[in-house]
C-alpha cells in the first residue's frame, strides 16, 4: 500500500550548519512530493514541492532532492537558524487532484 | 485575509458526547480537508471536499461526519466521542490542483 516514512525521527544541528532531512516513499506512482514545516503549537506550513519528473528543486535556503531509483526524498536547509527548529513532514500525492499522504515527521533542533 | 480559522481551540468531552469542530476559510479555496494528529505522529486525513456539496472519506473517517454546504465552511462532527478521538484536529484548504495547503491553528480535543 501507500506509505511515506522518514529515516530519522530527530535531528540536532549546530546553528549555521546545513541540515539534511530524509524521507523514503514506497508508492512509485506518486507524481508530487511536498515538504511541510510545523512549529510547536501551530499548523503545518508549506515549504516546497517537487514533481516526479525533476530530481532537484531549490527555494530560499532550501533544496529538495528526489531519487526515484531508490524512492528517496531529502530536504536540505542551508545555514540552519534557530527559527528552523520544527517538525518537518514529507508528503506525497499521486496527482495534483488526489489526497495528500503525510509521513510521520522529523524533529529538527538547532543548537545555538 | 484571516486564512483558515478553527473553533474552538481547546475542548474536553466526556465519552459519548457530541460536538462540531468549525472550520472557515476566506481564500475562496474549493478544496478543504480535515486531519487529525496524534502526539508525536504525522497527519491522518479524515475527510476532504473538492467543492460545495461534495465530500469524500480519507484514511480514518470512522466516528466522524462532515458537510460542505458553502465554499467557506467545512464543519467536522463527532457524534459519540471516544477516548481514541483524543487528538489535535487541523483543517486545511487549497486551490484545486495546487499542492500548497493552508492549515488552521488546530483544535486540541480530549475525550475522557
Amino acid at each position: 500500500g501507500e506509505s511515506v516514512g522518514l529515516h530519522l525521527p530527530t535531528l540536532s544541528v549546530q546553528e549555521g550548519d546545513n541540515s539534511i532531512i530524509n524521507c523514503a516513499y514506497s508508492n512509485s506512482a506518486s507524481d508530487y512530493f511536498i515538504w511541510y514545516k510545523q512549529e510547536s503549537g501551530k499548523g503545518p506550513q508549506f515549504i516546497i514541492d517537487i514533481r516526479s519528473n525533476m530530481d532537484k528543486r531549490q527555494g530560499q535556503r532550501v533544496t529538495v532532492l528526489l531519487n526515484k531509483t531508490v524512492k528517496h526524498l531529502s530536504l536540505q536547509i542551508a545555514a540552519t537558524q534557530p527559527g528552523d527548529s520544527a517538525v518537518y513532514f514529507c508528503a506525497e500525492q499521486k496527482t495534483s487532484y488526489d489526497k495528500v499522504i503525510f509521513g510521520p515527521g522529523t524533529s529538527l533542533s538547532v543548537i545555538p | 485575509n484571516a486564512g483558515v480559522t478553527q473553533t474552538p481551540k481547546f475542548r474536553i468531552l466526556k465519552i459519548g458526547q457530541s460536538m462540531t469542530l468549525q472550520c472557515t476559510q476566506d481564500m475562496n479555496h474549493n478544496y478543504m480537508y480535515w486531519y487529525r494528529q496524534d502526539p508525536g505522529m504525522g497527519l491522518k486525513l479524515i475527510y476532504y471536499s473538492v467543492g460545495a456539496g461534495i465530500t469524500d472519506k480519507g484514511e480514518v473517517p470512522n466516528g466522524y461526519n462532515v458537510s460542505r454546504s458553502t465554499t467557506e465552511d467545512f464543519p467536522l462532527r463527532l457524534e459519540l466521542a471516544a477516548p481514541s478521538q483524543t487528538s489535535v484536529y487541523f483543517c486545511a484548504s487549497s486551490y484545486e490542483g495546487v499542492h500548497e495547503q493552508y492549515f488552521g491553528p488546530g483544535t486540541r480535543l480530549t475525550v475522557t
Side-chain angles (χ1 to χ4, degrees):
Chain A
E2 302 171 356
S3 70
V4 178
L6 294 175
H7 290 306
L8 298 172
T10 60
L11 180 65
S12 294
V13 176
Q14 203 73 36
E15 182 179 356
D17 287 351
N18 297 335
S19 303
I20 300 175
I21 301 170
N22 296 304
C23 178
Y25 66 93
S26 61
N27 190 350
S28 56
S30 292
D31 199 20
Y32 296 93
F33 301 90
I34 310 121
W35 283 99
Y36 279 86
K37 172 187 180 183
Q38 186 178 26
E39 296 176 18
S40 181
K42 297 183 178 180
Q45 185 178 19
F46 173 90
I47 302 173
I48 192 169
D49 62 1
I50 188 168
R51 194 169 181 182
S52 61
N53 61 355
M54 302 171 68
D55 52 21
K56 181 179 181 179
R57 189 168 186 213
Q58 288 186 292
Q60 192 173 20
R61 278 201 309 118
V62 296
T63 300
V64 56
L65 299 177
L66 177 63
N67 185 331
K68 292 181 287 296
T69 303
V70 294
K71 296 180 186 172
H72 184 268
L73 184 70
S74 69
L75 179 71
Q76 299 180 1
I77 305 173
T80 312
Q81 302 169 358
D84 295 326
S85 292
V87 176
Y88 290 81
F89 295 97
C90 65
E92 62 172 337
Q93 198 176 18
K94 281 186 185 174
T95 74
S96 57
Y97 300 91
D98 274 312
K99 57 183 183 285
V100 175
I101 305 295
F102 283 81
T106 291
S107 177
L108 175 66
S109 294
V110 181
I111 305 165
Chain B
N1 285 351
V4 180
T5 57
Q6 292 182 239
T7 57
K9 284 186 168 46
F10 304 93
R11 184 72 186 267
I12 299 174
L13 282 182
K14 294 190 188 306
I15 295 171
Q17 286 186 318
S18 302
M19 79 163 293
T20 299
L21 282 67
Q22 301 291 346
C23 175
T24 300
Q25 53 92 10
D26 62 358
M27 296 172 283
N28 202 32
H29 288 167
N30 52 344
Y31 280 35
M32 294 188 75
Y33 316 82
W34 273 107
Y35 295 90
R36 60 176 287 172
Q37 185 176 33
D38 298 332
M41 302 293 286
L43 294 146
K44 297 292 185 184
L45 182 65
I46 305 172
Y47 271 96
Y48 65 106
S49 169
V50 300
I54 306 169
T55 62
D56 211 345
K57 295 178 180 178
E59 302 167 86
V60 290
N62 292 345
Y64 307 94
N65 278 300
V66 293
S67 59
R68 185 93 182 272
S69 56
T70 66
T71 299
E72 295 78 19
D73 300 306
F74 191 39
L76 178 72
R77 179 83 178 160
L78 283 71
E79 289 295 349
L80 290 171
S84 61
Q85 293 178 305
T86 294
S87 192
V88 180
Y89 291 83
F90 289 101
C91 179
S93 70
S94 69
Y95 283 114
E96 176 181 342
V98 175
H99 312 295
E100 182 172 1
Q101 293 185 20
Y102 293 79
F103 283 80
T107 294
R108 186 175 296 274
L109 176 67
T110 302
V111 182
T112 62

